[in-house]
Amino acid sequence: MRKEEVKNISATPLNAPVFPATDMYFKDREFLNIVYETDMEMLKEIVPEPLTVTSNLIKFEVINMPDSTGLGSYMEAGHVIPVEYNGEAGEFYLSMYVNNQAAIASGREVAAFPKKAGTPNLYVDNDVLVGTLDYNSLRVAQATMGYKYYRMDDEEAKSIITTPQFMLKQMRHYDGSLLMSELTRSQITDVKVKKAYRGPARLQLFEHVMAPLADFPVKKVVDAQHIIVDMRLGQPSQMYNYLNDNN
């Protein structure tokens, strides 16, 4: 392989890159969002400055992506925290547990999504929508929501899906020193809402050292949303550089 060709490879291995160089478009992307009250002090301890936590209403989400360009069919689940940066409201993505290696690698290397391996699931059980997350052999989260109880306004659903996403991107040199440490911002675009519902819901979280979702205890479930859309991931951009003292 010629030197000039190497730079055109999306990732390693050279003869079978872990993810393709393609525009990530998602059809029928399905969200189960459980919004609940938790401990405000726990949120403040984990969210990095200069982001500011704006509420104790955290979101546990399970997402089914059955038709993703270049990535196939997979699922993910994790925690999202309401924050603000320079007057703009958004969500800090704390954790994402994913059952697709290409999505984990591309999400971490190209963007800044905090992805690691896990086994989420989202399915309809008779009259209930069920979202679960297992870490290896153990259950760490289980959510249930009444199926298609109340119709949700499409514009409200779109505004939820397109909330700005703030993430921490951290990369290190071979010697362990920091190569990159920055906050990024991205935003979902080209959203077409297909279905949107609310319903009663419950959420259980189980203690686990490597998937510590239960660090944010469920005090009260205040909202549950089931939203299906077509959409495109937005291009991430740097907001704040921790290695630059002149921020």
Side-chain angles (χ1 to χ4, degrees), residues 87-137:
E88 181 181 39
E91 295 176 326
F92 176 67
Y93 276 64
L94 176 63
S95 62
M96 305 172 82
Y97 298 85
V98 187
N99 64 353
N100 178 297
Q101 185 180 359
I104 294 173
S106 63
R108 293 178 66 92
E109 294 178 21
V110 178
F113 292 105
K115 298 189 177 190
K116 64 187 297 187
T119 308
N121 198 11
L122 184 61
Y123 62 95
V124 178
D125 184 13
N126 201 324
D127 59 344
V128 174
L129 182 65
V130 181
T132 62
L133 174 60
D134 295 343
Y135 191 86
N136 295 323
S137 64

Side-chain angles (χ1 to χ4, degrees), residues 39-199:
D39 189 313
M40 185 67 161
E41 293 307 310
M42 292 294 294
L43 299 180
K44 290 180 178 179
E45 284 183 19
I46 199 66
V47 171
E49 294 179 336
L51 296 176
T52 303
V53 180
T54 57
S55 170
N56 71 333
L57 297 182
I58 193 172
K59 181 169 67 180
F60 171 70
E61 62 178 15
V62 184
I63 307 174
N64 177 29
M65 289 156 281
D67 186 351
S68 306
T69 305
L71 299 177
S73 177
Y74 67 102
M75 297 188 188
E76 64 187 31
H79 262 147
V80 181
I81 301 171
V83 295
E84 183 179 87
Y85 177 74
N86 281 351
E88 181 181 39
E91 295 176 326
F92 176 67
Y93 276 64
L94 176 63
S95 62
M96 305 172 82
Y97 298 85
V98 187
N99 64 353
N100 178 297
Q101 185 180 359
I104 294 173
S106 63
R108 293 178 66 92
E109 294 178 21
V110 178
F113 292 105
K115 298 189 177 190
K116 64 187 297 187
T119 308
N121 198 11
L122 184 61
Y123 62 95
V124 178
D125 184 13
N126 201 324
D127 59 344
V128 174
L129 182 65
V130 181
T132 62
L133 174 60
D134 295 343
Y135 191 86
N136 295 323
S137 64
L138 296 179
R139 176 64 42 91
V140 294
Q142 180 168 293
T144 54
M145 172 184 168
Y147 188 67
K148 292 188 176 181
Y149 259 61
Y150 310 111
R151 190 73 172 86
M152 192 176 173
D153 179 74
D154 285 356
E155 287 303 311
E156 182 186 8
K158 183 176 180 179
S159 70
I160 290 170
I161 299 303
T162 58
T163 300
Q165 304 165 325
F166 301 148
M167 291 160 290
L168 176 67
K169 185 161 187 176
Q170 197 98 316
M171 297 179 65
R172 294 187 177 274
H173 283 289
Y174 302 113
D175 63 1
S177 61
L178 273 175
L179 174 66
M180 177 184 293
S181 182
E182 60 190 35
L183 284 173
T184 69
R185 180 194 184 280
S186 62
Q187 191 168 18
I188 289 171
T189 64
D190 301 336
V191 175
K192 177 184 177 183
V193 177
K194 293 186 168 180
K195 296 179 183 177
Y197 290 89
R198 278 196 164 91

